[in-house]
Amino acid sequence: DAGVTQSPTHLIKTRGQQVTLRCSPKSGHDTVSWYQQALGQGPQFIFQYYEEEERQRGNFPDRFSGHQFPNYSSELNVNALLLGDSALYLCASSPWTGSNAQHFGDGTRLSIL
Amino acid sequence: RKEVEQDPGPFNVPEGATVAFNCTYSNSASQSFFWYRQDCRKEPKLLMSVYSSGNEDGRFTAQLNRASQYISLLIRDSKLSDSATYLCVVNGSGYGNKLVFGAGTILRVKS
């Protein structure tokens, strides 16, 4: 039973570029959440997708956008990258109903030069 | 004020010691509570959920005090492998809500 998978593992970009990160949820999970974790901080909620719609959003600018596909996988897009966007980006999945515990992927480490 | 606050530590303890971490949260409507463990440069992993009646899982005991909006984690007989960052996590009410993380407490267990 595959857990949450994310790609790529590492990514290096320059300021102003755009990036797309991908996530496949754990089998049986239909809800995907994205988090940003800066060094020395706890993960910060970006947004959550269920039934291909953004259901909740954290305090992140519109440069951060996402999508969920019919197979429940999801993408996180970040436009006009800033140095401050350098972080570990974590995808978590869970069922929409029942326990709210979320299971995390290994993350994508994004570095902006 | 942060929604979830934890002592960042580090807590440096010898093997076999008992160590306790505390956490406070500001949203009184929070319904679900968790402790996650995160190893260096790895993803957070669910350690245990926290229930109002308190719950235990082997050497780990979690407590919740809703009146004081306070959560604790007790680790008995610490092992070297317990060295990690422990994240206090709170969820909102209803379905599919976001998780709010504390910044984490660093534990270092030494031989």
Side-chain angles (χ1 to χ4, degrees), chain A residues 35 37 40-43 45 48 56 88 90 96-98 100-102 104-106 109, chain B residues 32 34 36 38 41-44 46 87 91-92 94-99 101-103:
Chain A
Y35 295 82
Q37 187 174 22
Q41 301 295 318
F45 176 77
Q48 184 178 76
Q56 285 201 78
L88 178 67
L90 294 159
W96 181 250
T97 60
N100 291 325
Q102 295 178 12
F104 285 82
D106 293 343
R109 193 163 296 279
Chain B
S32 303
F34 311 95
Y36 277 73
Q38 187 171 28
R41 302 180 73 83
K42 299 285 191 180
E43 78 279 16
L46 179 66
L87 299 162
N91 201 334
Y95 295 123
N97 275 278
K98 68 178 185 181
L99 296 181
F101 285 79

Side-chain angles (χ1 to χ4, degrees), chain A:
Chain A
D1 179 22
V4 180
T5 58
Q6 291 186 243
S7 64
T9 305
H10 295 89
L11 204 49
I12 299 174
K13 292 285 188 179
T14 57
R15 282 179 297 177
Q17 285 189 310
Q18 177 266 342
V19 68
T20 297
L21 311 181
R22 295 177 176 82
C23 171
S24 291
K26 180 178 168 66
S27 178
H29 288 180
D30 54 12
T31 303
V32 173
S33 303
W34 286 92
Y35 295 82
Q36 179 196 66
Q37 187 174 22
L39 202 61
Q41 301 295 318
Q44 299 294 310
F45 176 77
I46 302 175
F47 42 53
Q48 184 178 76
Y49 279 85
Y50 169 65
E51 290 188 332
E52 302 177 51
E53 289 187 13
E54 184 183 289
R55 298 291 175 161
Q56 285 201 78
R57 188 178 183 92
N59 189 25
F60 279 80
D62 293 345
R63 298 187 297 110
F64 289 77
S65 63
H67 189 77
Q68 185 180 34
F69 300 94
N71 67 353
Y72 309 124
S73 66
S74 177
E75 289 182 349
L76 164 65
N77 301 292
V78 187
N79 294 323
L81 287 166
L82 303 173
L83 292 177
D85 295 332
S86 295
L88 178 67
Y89 287 85
L90 294 159
C91 171
S93 74
S94 60
W96 181 250
T97 60
S99 167
N100 291 325
Q102 295 178 12
H103 298 261
F104 285 82
D106 293 343
T108 294
R109 193 163 296 279
L110 176 63
S111 299
I112 310 302
L113 304 180

